[in-house]
């Protein structure tokens, strides 16, 4: 069994779709009559399912963080800043580097070189 899809609830579905397409290269797939937009990662990995949040649903307050594998965290962070996405400071961990930000809904995201440590 593999984890292949993660549902993100959004107040502004179009804004979240644009965010993940623009900054991380996901590709939006829509099917007629489907309320969910599926964002497919062209390099493999889990897809994001963007679902309209209900009126009473609180967004950005879950205990989940999306971690995106990036070999050169500092370079990717600088490229994102030029495109309007500002990550926090670089953190050195056990053989890898990471930086954190939030998407427009307040969901925690991280770019991390953990997958590349030891290479």
């Amino acid at each position: 069994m593999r984890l292949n899809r993660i549902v993100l609830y959004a107040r502004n579905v179009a804004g979240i779709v644009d965010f993940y397409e623009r900054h991380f290269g996901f590709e939006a797939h829509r099917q007629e009559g489907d309320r969910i937009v599926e964002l497919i990662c062209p390099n493999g990995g889990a897809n994001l399912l963007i679902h309209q949040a209900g009126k009473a649903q609180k967004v950005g307050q879950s205990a989940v963080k999306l971690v995106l594998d990036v070999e050169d965290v500092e370079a990717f962070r600088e490229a994102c800043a030029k495109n309007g996405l500002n990550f926090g400071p670089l953190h050195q961990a056990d053989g890898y580097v990471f930086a954190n930000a939030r998407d427009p809904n307040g969901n925690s995201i991280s770019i991390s070189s953990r997958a590349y440590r030891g290479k």
Side-chain angles (χ1 to χ4, degrees):
M1 179 181 343
R2 296 184 311 186
L3 176 63
N4 290 314
R5 289 171 185 79
I6 299 166
V7 176
L8 291 179
Y9 293 94
R11 295 265 181 260
N12 178 351
V13 171
I16 292 295
V17 168
D18 176 66
F19 176 83
Y20 284 100
E21 284 181 319
R22 184 168 19 110
H23 294 296
F24 300 106
F26 281 83
E27 298 170 358
H29 291 263
R30 296 169 177 87
Q31 291 186 339
E32 189 174 330
D34 191 356
R35 301 180 318 173
I36 293 174
V37 178
E38 186 160 3
L39 295 177
I40 297 175
C41 186
N43 301 326
N47 294 341
L48 301 177
L49 302 178
I50 310 302
H51 192 291
Q52 181 68 49
K55 290 180 183 180
Q57 191 170 16
K58 293 182 180 182
V59 294
Q61 294 187 6
S62 64
V64 174
K65 180 187 285 188
L66 301 178
V67 179
L68 298 118
D69 295 330
V70 176
E71 191 164 7
D72 187 339
V73 173
E74 186 172 6
F76 189 87
R77 181 177 164 260
E78 290 173 10
C80 283
K82 291 177 185 173
N83 202 20
L85 172 57
N86 294 306
F87 281 86
L90 296 174
H91 299 280
Q92 297 290 327
D94 187 23
Y96 64 97
V97 178
F98 68 96
N100 299 311
R102 291 192 178 268
D103 73 13
N105 257 356
N107 296 305
S108 294
I109 57 174
S110 180
I111 49 176
S112 170
S113 63
R114 180 182 174 95
Y116 300 96
R117 69 180 170 180
K119 288 187 177 183

